[in-house]
Each structure stands twice: as C-alpha cells, then as structure tokens.
Amino acid sequence: MTETDMKKTGSNDIVAIGREVIALERAGLGELELSIGADFERAVRLILECRGKVVVCGIGKSGIVARKIAATLSSTGTPSVFLHPVEAAHGDMGMVTKGDIFLAVSKSGGDGDFSNLLPYLAGLGVRMIAITGNVESGIARASDVVLRADAGREACPMDIVPTTSTTVSLALGDALAVAVFRCRDFGREDFARLHPSGILGRKLLLTAGELMHCGDEMPLVDAGISLREALFEIIDKRLGCTGVTDSAGMLVGVITDGDLKRILIRDPGALDSPVGGLMTGDPRTTKAGVLATDALERMEMNPGGPITQLFVVDENGLPAGVIHIHDILRAGLK
C-alpha cells in the first residue's frame, strides 16, 4: 500500500476492517459449533482408545495449526507429535507406528504431499482422522472419521488467505483436546506433572506450606506483652507483622505495621499497653496444604481490604507459619 493509499484509508475504515474480520471468524466458529455431533464423538473415542500416540500432520498454515493441536494434546495427557508431510515422505514417516492415530489437518484435503503417505498408513492399519473443509477429498475418503471445518468465507477480501479456516481448525483441535482430557478425568495434579518447570505447574502444585516462614522465622508474641515488645518482634522478623497467641498457644490476633501506625497516632502512649487489647482479633488464616494461589486470593479478598500477610494454622488452630505476599510474587505466581 502506498502512502497515498494509506492516507485515503481513514481511521474509521481501518476499525471497520478489523471488526469485519472478527465478525467473519466468529460466524465461522458459530457454524463449527452447530456441526459438532456424532463424528466428533467418534474422533474423541478413537483418541481415547489409542494405544500409541497421535501424529498430527499439516502443511503451510494448516501445519502451524497442526503443531498447536499436537502441543495441546500432549500438554493435556495425550502423547502427540507433529509431522510435516514433506519430511514424512523423506524418512520421518518412521515415527508413525501401528497403534498410532494419524490426524491430518488440511483445508482443501487435496494436498499432493499427503497422497504419498496414505498407502503407508493403510499398510500399517493406522486409524485416521481428518480435519478438512472438503469432505469429498482424498484425505477425507481415506479417513476413519472426518471432522468438517468448513469456514465459509475467509476473512480476506479475496477469500483466499487462510484466516477463518485456520481459526476454525484451531478451535476444533482445542475441542478435541479438551473433550479427551475431560473424558479421562485429567486433573490439576496431572496437568502440573506435565508442566514441572513452568508457572502453570507451580500454580497447580505449590502450597502455602512450601512458602511459609515457620519456626524461628515466624513472628509471634504472647497477648500479655507490651506493644513495645511486639514492635521489636515485628522489626526482628521483618515480615511486617506479628501473630498474637493466648496462654494455650492459639492464634488469637495479629498486629501489622499499619496497625502500629494507626494505634500510635491515636494514642502515643500505647507502647506500654498489652497487645491483647490492641490487636486485630480473629485474623484471617489458611492451612499448609492450601494452594499458594488460593492463599493469595484470601489475602486479596479479605473483607476489610487486601492484606499482605496470612498466618497458616494447623488442624488445632495453632500457628504453623506465616506467608507474605512477596513470597508468592517471588515464586512467580502472579
């Protein structure tokens, strides 16, 4: 586009183009939603029954979609790999073994690169699923299940550039992956096991007990000591607060840096008063086995306003530790 053309295209026109693209792709997804039926169920059951892996194959823009589908299946408990059809014809077909499922992604279904693979797949007895916009294509005829990804009109003026069709194929792959892992009752622990080094895995596994400060690091004072002594405990433990316990060791209150400031502004002589009469009683707490992300939510959703520390108590109500919001941030959970 020349500079003159760009000047002719006003802001309103550009916004209209963007909205038109979204509308066309949304319409394609609407058609896809209505088409989900018995063939989709058959495809899901084929994958559930698979004793090998799912080999997802595609070329061009469909190849990019195929890579994403393979990655999503793998990350949700279905062993999957991406296979480029050209590379397959030059040796990589060896990764396909009996017991696998071959998932072909092709808008036209007439890719010549696939035709060389079909006899080999048939010889192995590999079951085949096709995601295609052409149910009469060679790929479709060779498949056990055909999932029609008829996008209607592409979101480009020439109705050529893969846009709506890739969106529809990608959504269909997501639907397959989610349906499969829900049928398998794939849970938090399963997902975290497959993401041991990533933030997603940490969010699903890391508990408050693993991040909390305990033992000598936990700030605690008896309800009978003075605010002055409690102040030293807060300064020494450097967590911005101290828990307050009764004679039985139960957590009955908390005093934070903010509480200290408000107390001393209101009564400068309060330093010699017992903390039991100055503390915030019935403090918000959590358990050691609670996910750190859930502990963070308790901090942020505190009825009196967000808090930055949360005491961890055991089943008897005795303080076991304290978790600070900075601990959660350092763990990369927010």
Side-chain angles (χ1 to χ4, degrees):
M1 179 180 288
T2 66
E3 186 175 344
T4 302
D5 292 332
M6 291 176 68
K7 288 179 179 178
K8 289 180 180 177
T9 306
S11 296
N12 290 338
D13 296 325
I14 292 172
V15 170
I17 291 169
R19 289 176 175 171
E20 180 186 8
V21 170
I22 300 302
L24 286 168
E25 297 201 359
R26 184 174 62 240
L29 290 172
E31 290 297 319
L32 175 65
E33 181 184 3
L34 295 175
S35 73
I36 298 294
D39 286 334
F40 180 82
E41 181 180 350
R42 287 177 59 208
V44 169
R45 294 198 182 281
L46 268 184
I47 296 173
L48 288 169
E49 294 164 3
C50 179
R51 294 296 174 262
K53 59 189 176 295
V54 178
V55 180
V56 192
C57 193
I59 194 168
K61 304 300 186 295
S62 292
I64 296 171
V65 171
R67 284 182 185 275
K68 196 275 181 183
I69 293 173
T72 302
L73 285 168
S74 292
S75 72
T76 52
T78 299
S80 304
V81 295
F82 168 74
L83 176 64
H84 193 287
V86 175
E87 298 298 331
H90 291 274
D92 283 3
M93 200 63 180
M95 74 168 62
V96 184
T97 59
K98 191 172 184 179
D100 290 344
I101 285 178
F102 191 86
L103 173 55
V105 183
S106 172
K107 176 186 176 181
S108 68
D111 299 309
D113 296 293
F114 276 104
S115 61
N116 295 326
L117 311 182
L118 298 180
Y120 182 80
L121 295 170
L124 282 177
V126 171
R127 308 297 293 276
M128 186 169 166
I129 301 169
I131 293 178
T132 180
N134 184 0
V135 296
E136 302 298 328
S137 62
I139 291 174
R141 289 194 299 270
S143 298
D144 296 275
V145 182
V146 179
L147 300 177
R148 184 170 185 171
D150 188 358
R153 182 185 159 194
E154 296 286 10
C156 85
M158 300 172 289
D159 192 19
I160 294 174
V161 178
T163 46
T164 309
S165 60
T166 49
T167 298
V168 166
S169 296
L170 190 62
L172 191 46
D174 286 342
L176 276 175
V178 172
V180 168
F181 88 69
R182 286 182 63 175
C183 288
R184 285 192 174 132
D185 199 23
F186 187 87
R188 283 175 173 258
E189 291 77 13
D190 301 301
F191 190 87
R193 177 175 51 81
L194 299 177
H195 299 75
S197 298
I199 187 170
L200 294 176
R202 291 199 298 274
K203 281 185 175 182
L204 294 174
L205 281 183
L206 202 59
T207 64
E210 293 174 272
L211 292 178
M212 71 182 184
H213 301 265
C214 54
D216 292 338
E217 294 182 1
M218 178 171 48
L220 280 180
V221 297
D222 185 81
I225 73 166
S226 68
L227 182 61
R228 187 187 307 275
E229 294 173 281
L231 174 58
F232 284 117
E233 179 74 355
I234 294 173
I235 294 172
D236 183 51
K237 299 299 171 63
R238 303 176 66 179
L239 289 173
C241 72
T242 183
V244 181
T245 58
D246 62 13
S247 58
M250 302 284 288
L251 184 73
V252 292
V254 66
I255 290 184
T256 67
D257 283 338
D259 294 332
L260 275 169
K261 294 171 185 175
R262 287 186 287 272
I263 291 168
L264 293 177
I265 288 172
R266 185 173 64 246
D267 180 10
L271 282 174
D272 295 317
S273 301
V275 293
L278 302 170
M279 68 184 185
T280 298
D282 192 24
R284 202 163 177 81
T285 62
T286 190
K287 303 286 184 165
V290 168
L291 290 174
T293 50
D294 291 338
L296 174 62
E297 184 177 356
R298 284 186 66 77
M299 293 183 192
E300 294 179 331
M301 301 303 291
N302 183 54
I307 56 178
T308 56
Q309 308 94 346
L310 192 65
F311 273 86
V312 179
V313 297
D314 63 17
E315 60 276 6
N316 299 314
L318 297 172
V322 61
I323 184 170
H324 196 285
I325 192 170
H326 290 164
D327 303 318
I328 296 174
L329 296 177
R330 277 192 294 268
L333 300 184
K334 182 173 181 174

